[in-house]
Amino acid sequence: MSEAILLDGSSLTRAQLVAVARHGASVALDQTQLKRVQRAADFLAEKVSCGEPTYGVTTGFGSNADKLLGAHRVRDELPGSRPADGTLMEELQHNLIITHAVCVGKPFAAEVVRAMLVIRINTLMRGHSGIRVSTLEALTAMLNAGVVPVVPEKGSVGASGDLAPLSHLAIVLLGGGEAFWHGERVSGAEALKRAGLTPIRLSFKEGLALNNGTAQMLATGALALDALEHLLDTADLAASMTLDAFAGRSGALRSEVHALRPHPGQVDTAAHVRGLLAGSTLVDIPYHLVPRFKSWTAEAWSEADDQALSFDIGWDWVPASQRHGREAFYRRFLPFKGGKKHQPQDAYSLRCMPQVHGAVRDAWAQACRVFDIELNAVTDNPLIFPDNADAPFIEEQVISAGHFHGMPLALAMSYVKAAIPVLASISERRLNKLVDPATNDGLPAFLTGNEDGTDSGFMIVQYTAAALVNDLATRAHPASVYSVPTSANAEDHVSMGANEARHVMEMVEDLGHVLALELYTAAQALDYRQEMLNAARRLARRGGWQALAAKVANAPREGQPHYEQFVTEVQQLADALTAADDFHAGTRVRQAHAILRQRIAFLHRDRALDGDIAAVCAMVRQAAFRAAV
């Protein structure tokens, strides 16, 4: 992106954050707002020169807040001591950063670290933190130059903000720690040198301004929410393809239905799925038109182009003696049992898509509301109000508060964390219905012909989905309910929001895998459903009722009772199939199916599926279906 995103502390959006974090956009600082930044820094310097005691400036931190800094170093009087450079106040800020950079684990991805940097810069632009303009410009230069500090994933308790991970950000500014430079992991000093930057020395409260805030949990959570937004649409797409593959029912999606229970996510999901299914000739198809799968035999088809089919089809005729009490039904539907069960509603995993997917959408929307507020919030401590000029005491201008506490973000992430396994679970249930011959409405078991008994088809695809769902469920317990006090109980209640957001980011990835597996399976099922119906349609057009009658079991022979009735009814079935247009899925479902088939072929016989699975997971991760959703 060529145009820099202007940061003023009040207007940063999630889209802009993603542009910087994932797409390399640069940032610029609003010059008018920088005057407020400098005003706060000048105010702080003035108060220090007057000898006013100020938390985190002339006192220690946390449980050391009762320790006032003296005029000189006591340790200088120790035998053999060497005078140190700088003032005690500068040393305090420096030591805050180098002693707090203690995270462990693998480094965060570059996109998370870049998001942390832009969040920190934006909040400091509000002018309530006491940081100097020069220090803020140095932080901005590091981001724009492409220096990515190494920030290990684990170490924040989410209050006082993300102290440890943010210290890993700031330590590179001081020439310490480690950073990635064009993907190479080097020392912080080396990364600055290669970028043409020089280390800085911190002044009053600047260490505290740099490491006291919610930037890690906010960055991780915001990027997770961005990824989840795409997966919400992908879930609707997978469900729509599955519904088409089932030749399911659309009544549960109707707008007047959802007007009676207008949860926003539910209404939006129903409308989205209706749009995805628009143009489908499979949804709401009459029961009697849908044949069931039968194993292929050499005698299954007589026409040359049909002989390439890897299946046979069939129906059962329902004799008049078995229609008692159901006469009204059979006046509307012909007495042929094929693939579709004669029932007026689909299973919950299909019928309740709007309610389940919609509830997850609402959880996502609530988290977005919280995170959008936090993107432009001041989250460090203490807060500086230099414009309170009439305040009799400094405590009314430098106010210790609790904006660093991550509980608003933590609870929002807890909500999303509980929602993710729900969306994965309903997806896996639909996948399972597709492969189970007891529930897949006439499709082949495990979606393969298996004429010789050697093929497993999609059997183990469902195993993987089940394993992922279980793993997601076991990770869904909220971290935010387990506060572990820190800093000698000065920080006696913490949010654990950083853990919560990190868990959500990891879980979103596995949710994408589950949805990819459903799409992969649904595409196979859709191919079977469309080909079976269109084969029946061709058969009726070419061979008339006699050719179709050969596919019907339980039919009387000529001269037997009810034969004339059977002939009349099978002629009606043939007429209905002949008159039907091509059977196909909704326009956007077909578009998604075509995108998938460009990478992954139909499974005629067993083959190694690892490449297929890797490909479809990559397609979901890379938003390959975005044009269809």
Side-chain angles (χ1 to χ4, degrees):
M1 298 182 63
S2 57
E3 187 173 343
I5 291 170
L6 188 66
L7 300 180
D8 59 12
S10 301
S11 58
L12 179 64
T13 66
R14 279 180 290 117
Q16 290 174 327
L17 180 72
V18 171
V20 175
R22 290 188 168 141
H23 306 302
S26 61
V27 302
L29 306 181
D30 182 87
Q31 294 301 307
T32 300
Q33 197 61 25
L34 282 178
K35 296 176 182 178
R36 293 186 60 84
V37 173
Q38 191 60 51
R39 167 88 172 94
D42 292 343
F43 163 82
L44 206 56
E46 177 188 350
K47 292 301 179 183
V48 170
S49 67
C50 296
E52 294 273 13
T54 306
Y55 172 76
V57 178
T58 57
T59 76
F61 308 107
S63 61
N64 285 328
D66 60 344
K67 291 181 167 53
L68 292 172
L69 273 60
H72 64 277
R73 292 178 176 84
V74 173
R75 67 176 180 272
D76 287 349
E77 301 173 6
L78 290 171
S81 65
R82 296 181 179 180
D85 292 334
T87 67
L88 279 173
M89 286 178 283
E90 289 174 334
E91 182 180 324
L92 177 71
Q93 301 303 316
H94 179 86
N95 287 352
L96 175 69
I97 299 301
I98 65 173
T99 62
H100 284 45
V102 294
C103 291
V104 299
K106 66 181 181 180
F108 273 115
E111 64 179 33
V112 175
V113 179
R114 287 180 59 81
M116 291 170 65
L117 283 166
V118 72
I119 288 166
R120 200 76 219 124
I121 294 167
N122 189 63
T123 189
L124 294 173
M125 283 293 291
R126 290 290 295 273
H128 290 278
S129 302
I131 197 168
R132 293 170 298 171
V133 168
S134 59
T135 302
L136 193 50
E137 288 174 337
L139 192 65
T140 304
M142 187 171 76
L143 170 63
N144 286 339
V147 175
V148 179
V150 172
V151 183
E153 289 183 333
K154 299 175 183 178
S156 173
V157 297
S160 297
D162 298 315
L163 287 173
L166 285 174
S167 295
H168 282 276
L169 278 188
I171 198 172
V172 175
L173 267 184
L174 310 184
E178 292 183 297
F180 291 104
W181 174 253
H182 294 177
E184 182 184 355
R185 187 169 179 169
V186 298
S187 70
E190 180 64 19
L192 292 180
K193 179 181 177 181
R194 294 187 187 184
L197 306 174
T198 56
I200 67 169
R201 178 174 293 205
L202 299 177
S203 184
F204 314 123
K205 194 186 171 286
E206 289 191 321
L208 200 56
L210 289 169
N211 78 354
N212 191 224
T214 60
Q216 182 204 318
M217 65 184 96
L218 181 55
T220 311
L223 292 176
L225 290 174
D226 178 68
L228 181 56
E229 180 177 15
H230 165 63
L231 293 184
L232 293 172
D233 288 340
T234 303
D236 291 350
L237 174 63
S240 299
M241 191 177 292
T242 297
L243 189 66
D244 254 336
F246 271 105
R249 302 155 182 87
S250 67
L253 301 169
R254 294 172 66 95
S255 59
E256 62 267 34
V257 169
H258 295 283
L260 300 179
R261 195 196 192 198
H263 292 292
Q266 177 179 319
V267 172
D268 290 348
T269 298
H272 187 214
V273 174
R274 288 198 303 271
L276 291 167
L277 292 170
S280 172
T281 57
L282 300 176
V283 171
D284 297 322
I285 191 172
Y287 299 101
H288 52 261
L289 295 185
V290 183
R292 69 175 180 274
F293 172 90
K294 292 178 64 177
S295 293
W296 176 89
T297 64
E299 298 78 27
W301 305 99
S302 58
E303 296 291 334
D305 53 349
D306 284 341
Q307 288 174 350
L309 296 173
S310 59
F311 57 81
D312 195 2
I313 58 174
W315 290 263
D316 287 324
W317 183 63
V318 181
S321 60
Q322 297 179 19
R323 304 180 199 175
H324 298 308
R326 294 182 288 275
E327 289 84 0
F329 177 87
Y330 286 113
R331 281 195 295 271
R332 180 180 176 190
F333 298 103
L334 295 173
F336 297 93
K337 286 186 177 180
K340 289 297 293 179
K341 293 182 176 65
H342 292 178
Q343 59 188 36
Q345 57 191 25
D346 291 314
Y348 284 7
S349 60
L350 298 171
R351 183 169 24 128
C352 300
M353 277 187 277
Q355 291 78 10
V356 178
H357 290 207
V360 177
R361 280 187 181 274
D362 286 339
W364 171 83
Q366 166 61 9
C368 289
R369 185 191 69 80
V370 172
F371 275 64
D372 287 346
I373 292 171
E374 193 81 355
L375 278 176
N376 295 290
V378 180
T379 59
D380 59 316
N381 179 67
L383 303 175
I384 299 172
F385 296 89
D387 295 333
N388 292 355
D390 298 330
F393 303 107
I394 192 171
E395 290 82 7
E396 295 180 24
Q397 290 180 287
V398 181
I399 301 175
S400 290
H403 285 358
F404 49 70
H405 204 292
M407 194 54 75
L409 304 182
L411 287 180
M413 285 289 97
S414 295
Y415 190 7
V416 174
K417 197 176 179 182
I420 287 173
V422 170
L423 197 56
S425 176
I426 196 171
S427 174
E428 183 278 331
R429 288 294 81 198
R430 290 190 296 261
L431 190 165
N432 183 73
K433 280 180 63 64
L434 288 170
V435 300
D436 185 350
T439 60
N440 68 10
D441 286 358
L443 296 172
F446 305 114
L447 302 179
T448 183
N450 198 24
E451 297 83 3
D452 299 307
T454 60
D455 292 338
S456 295
F458 282 65
M459 180 190 296
I460 309 302
V461 175
Q462 186 264 331
Y463 283 44
T464 300
L468 289 167
V469 169
N470 174 265
D471 191 57
L472 286 168
T474 57
R475 288 189 281 167
H477 192 81
S480 56
V481 302
Y482 286 116
S483 173
V484 180
T486 54
S487 192
N489 272 312
E491 299 164 5
D492 57 354
H493 186 275
V494 298
S495 74
M496 298 298 177
N499 285 347
E500 208 78 279
R502 178 171 52 82
H503 294 165
V504 169
M505 175 166 271
E506 294 168 353
M507 292 169 71
V508 165
E509 182 178 6
D510 279 343
L511 171 62
H513 294 156
V514 175
L515 297 176
L517 294 177
E518 183 186 359
L519 279 166
Y520 176 52
T521 307
Q524 178 85 359
L526 182 59
D527 280 327
Y528 265 119
R529 186 71 73 192
Q530 291 177 148
E531 289 187 15
M532 288 163 60
L533 275 162
N534 285 314
R537 176 169 162 267
R538 288 194 302 272
L539 185 67
R541 288 186 170 187
R542 291 169 175 171
W545 70 267
Q546 294 92 342
L548 207 60
K551 301 292 185 182
V552 179
N554 200 35
R557 298 176 183 174
E558 188 173 2
Q560 291 182 329
H562 309 298
Y563 175 73
E564 290 77 8
Q565 182 182 17
F566 167 73
V567 169
T568 298
E569 290 171 344
V570 79
Q571 286 174 339
Q572 292 173 338
L573 177 61
D575 291 344
L577 285 167
T578 299
D581 293 327
D582 179 65
F583 292 106
H584 55 70
T587 301
R588 287 158 68 187
V589 170
R590 275 182 286 158
Q591 185 179 0
H593 179 272
I595 292 169
L596 188 146
R597 283 285 173 256
Q598 289 173 0
R599 296 277 302 274
I600 303 170
F602 179 82
L603 185 72
H604 289 283
R605 297 287 180 269
D606 272 4
R607 63 172 181 255
L609 299 186
D610 55 339
D612 291 0
I613 299 301
V616 73
C617 287
M619 292 175 78
V620 168
R621 185 171 59 252
Q622 296 162 4
F625 300 102
R626 190 179 296 278
V629 300

